Amino acid sequence: MLSAVCVGETMAMLTPVNAVPLHLATELHFGIGGAESNVAMGLAAMGLDTHWVSRVGRDGFGTRILDELRDHYVGVSGVEVDPVRPTGLYVKVPAQDSASDGGSSVLYYRQGSAASAMGRDTLSNPDVSSLLENAALIHLSGITAALSPECLSLLEAILSAPRNGRTISFDVNWRSALWAGQDRSVLQRLANLADVVLVGKDEAEHAFGTTDEAELRRMMPDPDVLVIKNEAISAIALTRSSADLGGTREEVPALSVAVVEPVGAGDSFAAGYLSGMLFGLGQKESLRRGHVAAACTLTVHGDRGPLPDAAQLAAILDSSDDAWAAIHVEDGQFSKRSVTP
Ligand SMILES: Nc1ncnc2c1ncn2[C@@H]1O[C@H](COP(=O)(O)OP(=O)(O)O)[C@@H](O)[C@H]1O
Ligand SMILES: O=C(O)C(=O)C[C@H](O)[C@H](O)COP(=O)(O)O
């Protein structure tokens, strides 16, 4: 079975219950959050043999993260438990409270975390190196590059190693709070070392200073595929096949979705898209899988929504362009809406 390995930090996530301002909160909901482990759980839900490589602290947060990943059929043999450094933590600040928290919608407590101590040494762990060697897909993100110089050098080592048939995907995953005062140009360098790059248009403006598709491709000429997501509008895959350096352009409109909460949609999109790629599907089919997985997450609270069953998923993915344009997703249910001519 094809295996996928996702590398990155996952944190304990605390959210004030009933979205009360943080300073008035008496109860905090305890969950977990991490872009790459979200993708890992998404890939596992698509039926792939999936593993997560990271580090957690020897604390209840770390134990909870490992338990949740195992519960979602993600292998954790490549996770180190740090006896000293703690598991990272973040707080999702309710929107009306963000001004009192410096305008930020998340507060990170991840400096010096167990995962921020990942580095080239991580590759000498035999469990990690064997997972990476046997993977058909290694998934990385720009978040890791911002965590510490050691984490950045881990990404560089993975991206520079001989591929031997493996594909490496890189989700830019721009996080303003992590890049303040840091050199963001490393993101362009890392993206050009990857085979598949995913970036949101809004993120591209921050990370690369442009949202222009042609300009982005000029800045990132090396990946075989550059996927540019434009939220509710569409996602575009620009390919560069070795035989045809001109490449191809596939654009698939996003679905109509009654959005409940946007967090995690990008990770779900990545899982959907990358699963299509691993199953050998074309760009159009893979982009559709991305939109379907994202829509499932957008209609629930939390970082991941359940997928439709296999038969319904196949029917949705096989639909004609007109039928696709008429799909509406609400409460995780896919239905046909009437389209005004
Ligand atoms: N308002 C929306 N309506 C429909 N689909 C959406 C909407 N917002 C996001 N999506 C879906 O989620 C995907 C990821 O969106 P994006 O904004 O890039 O996520 P993130 O900011 O979490 O990385 C999009 O490509 C699309 O499939
Ligand atoms: O911010 C971080 O460092 C995290 O990893 C936590 C978040 O749970 C995911 O990043 C959600 O990501 P999106 O799918 O882009 O909404």
Side-chain angles (χ1 to χ4, degrees):
M1 196 202 247
L2 290 176
S3 80
V5 178
C6 303
V7 184
E9 176 166 41
T10 293
M11 297 164 288
M13 175 183 71
L14 301 178
T15 323
V17 171
N18 298 328
V20 293
L22 190 53
H23 65 289
L24 297 176
T26 53
E27 285 178 73
L28 299 172
H29 175 264
F30 170 24
I32 70 166
E36 301 83 359
S37 63
N38 283 344
V39 175
M41 289 187 271
L43 288 170
M46 298 275 185
L48 288 147
D49 173 33
T50 309
H51 303 264
W52 178 58
V53 165
S54 190
R55 306 185 85 249
V56 296
R58 191 179 294 286
D59 48 37
F61 292 145
T63 306
R64 169 71 165 267
I65 289 168
L66 292 174
D67 287 348
E68 283 209 22
L69 282 155
R70 281 191 204 100
D71 286 351
H72 287 86
Y73 307 100
V74 174
V76 293
S77 62
V79 181
E80 294 175 341
V81 178
D82 190 316
V84 180
R85 297 177 189 83
T87 303
L89 177 68
Y90 79 113
V91 181
K92 268 200 216 171
V93 179
Q96 76 278 12
D97 194 27
S98 64
S100 60
D101 282 307
S104 172
S105 56
V106 289
L107 297 172
Y108 288 128
Y109 303 89
R110 64 198 303 185
Q111 218 174 349
S113 67
S116 71
M118 285 191 292
R120 278 174 197 258
D121 288 356
T122 306
L123 300 176
S124 43
N125 174 332
D127 291 324
V128 171
S129 58
S130 118
L131 285 172
L132 293 175
E133 265 160 38
N134 293 312
L137 173 77
I138 300 173
H139 180 70
L140 309 171
S141 105
I143 294 173
T144 311
L147 297 182
S148 67
E150 294 75 24
C151 280
L152 172 59
S153 74
L154 172 65
L155 292 191
E156 287 166 338
I158 294 173
L159 284 160
S160 311
R163 290 292 192 274
N164 296 333
R166 285 183 290 275
T167 296
I168 304 189
S169 51
F170 180 78
D171 190 332
V172 173
N173 260 333
W174 174 259
R175 297 289 180 269
S176 299
L178 294 178
W179 286 100
Q182 297 211 66
D183 174 14
R184 65 188 68 180
S185 71
V186 297
L187 288 170
Q188 186 183 346
R189 188 161 50 79
L190 295 172
N192 273 310
L193 292 170
D195 306 304
V196 179
V197 172
L198 299 124
V199 66
K201 265 204 167 179
D202 49 342
E203 301 177 325
E205 181 66 52
H206 295 289
F208 307 119
T210 181
T211 58
D212 182 76
E213 190 182 311
E215 181 61 17
L216 286 170
R217 193 50 161 155
R218 268 194 295 279
M219 294 177 79
M220 288 175 277
D222 296 336
D224 292 335
V225 192
L226 173 62
V227 177
I228 304 171
K229 300 166 288 171
N230 193 2
E231 297 184 348
I233 301 179
S234 69
I236 297 163
L238 303 173
T239 69
R240 182 191 68 93
S241 73
S242 48
D244 167 18
L245 287 176
T248 61
R249 180 185 191 277
E250 185 72 61
E251 178 165 11
V252 173
L255 293 166
S256 153
V257 180
V259 177
V260 171
E261 196 209 69
V263 180
D267 300 332
S268 293
F269 182 95
Y273 175 82
L274 294 169
S275 69
M277 193 198 76
L278 281 170
F279 292 137
L281 304 178
Q283 293 303 326
K284 180 173 179 176
E285 293 80 358
S286 299
L287 292 171
R288 279 188 170 193
R289 288 178 84 92
H291 285 312
V292 167
C296 294
T297 292
L298 287 164
T299 61
V300 297
H301 287 286
D303 280 12
R304 280 172 326 280
L307 294 168
D309 65 36
Q312 197 192 5
L313 180 62
I316 294 165
L317 294 170
D318 284 348
S319 45
S320 67
D321 289 349
D322 286 346
W324 173 266
I327 293 172
H328 178 68
V329 193
E330 192 155 358
D331 289 335
Q333 301 300 313
F334 287 67
S335 58
K336 186 172 180 282
R337 73 194 153 108
S338 47
V339 185
T340 36

